[in-house]
Amino acid sequence: MSYRINEIFYSLQGEGHNTGRAAVFVRFAGCNLKCPFCDTEFARYKELTTEEILTQIANIYHPTSNTQRPSLPLIVLTGGEPTLQVDESFIDRLHEVGYEVAMESNGTHLPPFNLDWLTISPKQNVVVERCNELKCIFDMSGDVNDFGIQADYYYLQPCDTRDATQNHLIIQQCIDYIKRHPRWRLSLQTHKLVGFK
């Protein structure tokens, strides 16, 4: 079986609960939603098998040789919408190598049951009822819809409009909302603030 892969890269997780953690991102091409703020280019992709994906991960991640038991980075399956392609056997193979596997999803399709971490960023037509991390986009409307999803952690992420003045206003409104609703935590896109991919 092959998967449509937009890109694979090694960086730090820039947002949410795992912010700052070393991670290999496997970005799957294609999504069933068309969000206006999405920053992913879906037109180009390569068809790769599981073993080809593992080879690419190994080629971009090189553990230091001065440790007896090197730790492995988190693998983050993202997109697009990874639930359109990812299955349990793919996750099992990543686990066999020793990776911890996280997925970022819009929640419109049920994810594989064997993930280590599931982040849901819901927009519409959500079928997922529980996740580790619920990350809702906060925009100028000031409304937050958690779609009734139960989570271990609840995050609000200010929408990036690519307009500095508008973004500043959204961030201030988001902070005010969190102060009034302390169940939520602030998630900033630190990779954009600091300047890394």
Side-chain angles (χ1 to χ4, degrees):
M1 178 173 179
S2 63
Y3 303 91
R4 296 182 310 280
I5 303 298
N6 181 274
E7 64 178 332
I8 299 173
F9 62 96
Y10 186 36
S11 187
L12 301 182
Q13 175 59 278
E15 57 195 42
H17 188 75
N18 288 306
T19 295
R21 191 168 173 193
V24 173
F25 293 84
V26 180
R27 188 180 300 281
F28 289 80
C31 187
N32 56 323
L33 302 180
K34 296 193 184 303
C35 301
F37 50 80
C38 184
D39 58 3
T40 302
E41 168 59 49
F42 296 122
R44 61 176 179 81
Y45 61 86
K46 291 183 179 178
E47 297 258 352
L48 299 175
T49 66
T50 302
E51 296 309 311
E52 289 170 331
I53 292 169
L54 283 169
T55 297
Q56 284 201 20
I57 291 171
N59 287 339
I60 62 173
Y61 168 68
H62 305 285
T64 56
S65 58
N66 61 356
T67 57
Q68 287 186 329
R69 191 174 143 195
S71 59
L72 296 175
L74 178 69
I75 301 294
V76 179
L77 310 177
T78 186
E81 178 48 44
T83 60
L84 299 177
Q85 299 184 60
V86 176
D87 55 15
E88 284 81 13
S89 63
F90 181 78
I91 307 295
D92 283 342
R93 184 67 184 103
L94 292 172
H95 283 156
E96 286 173 14
V97 175
Y99 290 112
E100 182 181 352
V101 184
M103 177 182 280
E104 298 174 351
S105 169
N106 61 30
T108 58
H109 291 81
L110 293 176
F113 68 87
N114 52 346
L115 289 165
D116 299 302
W117 186 267
L118 176 62
T119 300
I120 297 294
S121 184
K123 281 77 176 183
Q124 61 188 25
N125 304 323
V126 175
V127 299
V128 174
E129 297 176 355
R130 174 125 185 74
C131 62
N132 300 101
E133 172 183 6
L134 181 66
K135 185 175 62 181
C136 293
I137 304 299
F138 187 92
D139 60 18
M140 291 297 286
S141 71
D143 293 329
V144 176
N145 184 353
D146 65 11
F147 293 88
I149 299 172
Q150 297 297 307
D152 299 322
Y153 302 94
Y154 295 84
Y155 286 91
L156 290 183
Q157 185 163 293
C159 183
D160 179 9
T161 64
R162 297 179 180 87
D163 176 285
T165 303
Q166 186 102 337
N167 286 353
H168 179 74
L169 182 58
I170 292 171
I171 289 170
Q172 291 308 309
Q173 289 181 0
C174 186
I175 290 169
D176 290 343
Y177 186 93
I178 292 170
K179 285 179 175 178
R180 293 191 314 273
H181 305 88
R183 170 179 80 159
W184 295 95
R185 299 178 183 191
L186 181 65
S187 172
L188 296 176
Q189 293 179 301
T190 58
H191 53 292
K192 292 182 180 179
L193 298 172
V194 177
F196 65 88
K197 181 176 182 178

